[in-house]
Amino acid sequence: MYELTHRQAQNIVDKMMKDIPYNINIMDKAGIIIGSGNKKRIGTLHPGAVAAIKQKKIVEIKKDENFVKKGINLPIELNGFIVGVIGISGEVKETSPFGKLVKSAVILLIEQSVALEKENLEKNLKQKFFNLITESGTAYTKELMDQALTYGIQLNKPCQIVYAEFSTEIAEGTIKNFPFFKTSNHSLCMVIQEPNKVETLQKQIRNNFPDTFISISKINDKISDGFSQTKSAMRVLKGVFFNKKVISYAECEFIAGLSELQRNDAKVEHLAHLLEKNDELIKTLQVYLNCNLNINETASQLIIHRNTLNYRLNRIYKMTGKNPKNILELVELIFMLINRIK
């Protein structure tokens, strides 16, 4: 049975008393005042409410008595149960017309609150399920497989994961026709088990959100493997490339795998910290890599003189101790670019 809280009751009272010129009390299912225009009465027993609960009908009090003020008391019924009572203080003839109006408004607000609680519960269950299936050690039990079916996923069937990071906060209805999970307010993880549907999903996202970063896993038996691959690929995408929006794990598997081994390496973290706030040098390094270390092409892409480019590359060398023109040291700088992305 639903239970009114003090906070809900007081919010309702505050809203209703802006339009109704009488004091309003809301009592719980035991007749205790939990919301009132007169804050001193909160926590006290309301005899009129007790009578309304006991009799299961409207109780009118036509004159003030000890501990009882005249007014009208209406039981709040939800799904066949009395969850509380609304009391409006004042002359019965004057307060009666407001009784049904206030009661209807209160029931509507309660129903909205119940619906919101149900929605939040479902979101929490979905999030717990997602956390389970993205943990590498999770076994696919029958219970988990049955739960997966409610989200349109067959855990005994291979899948691909599409992970997307959006530039703005995303709503629940952002993705249609594909099982999805919110990993943050700006990111989604989608599970694809139908052949040739990855491109369809990718187009759907790109058409509606052109600035979105997308990474795509290989086909795997376990969702956790695919999710891990997309996260690694996303770090490569955002770390190494300056104008690319989509990447598949298959095209960066080697460097993504090596970078994962370097993720907690203190030396790599130190390098990342050295260039952390220097966007100009980071972009210069990214373009240099994407131009296959071609000085002329890199300078052209950056719209700078080649002497300026060489000056920037030397600055990177001085700041990090790693020479971008030395292939072995450049590899360390690549790991730095990737692992600065969290």
Side-chain angles (χ1 to χ4, degrees), residues 107-169:
I107 290 175
L108 178 62
L109 289 170
I110 290 172
E111 288 175 342
Q112 288 175 344
S113 178
V114 170
L116 183 60
E117 286 183 10
K118 183 180 178 182
E119 182 182 341
N120 288 336
L121 177 61
E122 290 173 352
K123 285 181 181 178
N124 289 337
L125 286 173
K126 188 176 182 181
Q127 188 60 47
K128 286 181 180 179
F129 169 77
F130 176 73
N131 292 342
L132 266 177
I133 60 173
T134 51
E135 287 180 6
S136 60
T138 298
Y140 286 174
T141 62
K142 185 180 184 305
E143 182 183 7
L144 195 64
M145 293 175 75
D146 289 342
Q147 188 180 1
L149 291 174
T150 66
Y151 302 118
I153 299 170
Q154 299 177 57
L155 290 182
N156 58 353
K157 185 177 178 180
C159 66
Q160 271 184 288
I161 302 300
V162 176
Y163 175 70
E165 292 187 358
F166 299 79
S167 58
T168 58
E169 188 167 336

Side-chain angles (χ1 to χ4, degrees), residues 69-292:
K69 289 188 175 294
K70 59 189 174 185
I72 186 169
N73 298 280
L74 304 91
I76 307 168
E77 192 172 305
L78 199 66
N79 299 324
F81 296 95
I82 293 177
V83 298
V85 178
I86 299 165
I88 306 177
S89 303
E91 295 292 341
V92 172
K93 288 183 179 180
E94 296 174 1
T95 55
S96 288
F98 294 105
K100 289 184 179 179
L101 175 65
V102 175
K103 180 179 177 180
S104 296
V106 169
I107 290 175
L108 178 62
L109 289 170
I110 290 172
E111 288 175 342
Q112 288 175 344
S113 178
V114 170
L116 183 60
E117 286 183 10
K118 183 180 178 182
E119 182 182 341
N120 288 336
L121 177 61
E122 290 173 352
K123 285 181 181 178
N124 289 337
L125 286 173
K126 188 176 182 181
Q127 188 60 47
K128 286 181 180 179
F129 169 77
F130 176 73
N131 292 342
L132 266 177
I133 60 173
T134 51
E135 287 180 6
S136 60
T138 298
Y140 286 174
T141 62
K142 185 180 184 305
E143 182 183 7
L144 195 64
M145 293 175 75
D146 289 342
Q147 188 180 1
L149 291 174
T150 66
Y151 302 118
I153 299 170
Q154 299 177 57
L155 290 182
N156 58 353
K157 185 177 178 180
C159 66
Q160 271 184 288
I161 302 300
V162 176
Y163 175 70
E165 292 187 358
F166 299 79
S167 58
T168 58
E169 188 167 336
I170 49 173
E172 284 295 321
T174 298
I175 300 300
K176 302 185 185 302
N177 305 320
F178 295 96
F180 72 91
F181 301 88
K182 286 186 75 170
T183 54
S184 75
N185 288 333
H186 294 81
S187 59
L188 289 178
C189 171
M190 290 137 285
V191 181
I192 312 301
Q193 295 186 295
E194 298 177 56
N196 307 315
K197 288 294 184 179
V198 169
E199 188 175 345
T200 301
L201 173 58
Q202 185 180 318
K203 285 181 179 178
Q204 182 187 139
I205 297 172
R206 301 292 297 146
N207 287 340
N208 294 303
F209 308 93
D211 293 330
T212 302
F213 290 98
I214 301 171
S215 61
I216 304 162
S217 78
K218 297 167 70 174
I219 297 175
N220 297 281
D221 289 329
K222 298 203 72 175
I223 289 173
S224 59
D225 292 337
F227 184 60
S228 176
Q229 290 172 6
T230 59
K231 295 288 281 184
S232 296
M234 182 63 74
R235 282 189 283 270
V236 174
L237 174 63
K238 296 178 76 174
V240 175
F241 299 95
F242 69 98
N243 61 357
K244 189 173 179 176
K245 295 293 184 182
V246 181
I247 194 169
S248 67
Y249 182 75
E251 65 185 285
C252 66
E253 182 173 0
F254 180 72
I255 195 69
L258 286 179
S259 68
E260 285 300 312
L261 296 176
Q262 301 285 328
R263 274 189 67 71
N264 296 316
D265 187 282
K267 187 177 180 181
V268 174
E269 287 185 2
H270 176 67
L271 278 178
H273 179 70
L274 291 175
L275 288 181
E276 188 175 21
K277 295 181 180 179
N278 200 317
D279 293 338
E280 182 182 75
L281 294 185
I282 286 172
K283 183 178 180 182
T284 297
L285 190 53
Q286 289 173 328
V287 177
Y288 180 62
L289 288 166
N290 283 267
C291 291
N292 293 315

Side-chain angles (χ1 to χ4, degrees), residues 34-47:
I34 55 174
S36 176
N38 181 358
K39 304 294 191 298
K40 294 179 180 178
R41 297 192 65 189
I42 293 175
T44 62
L45 188 68
H46 192 291

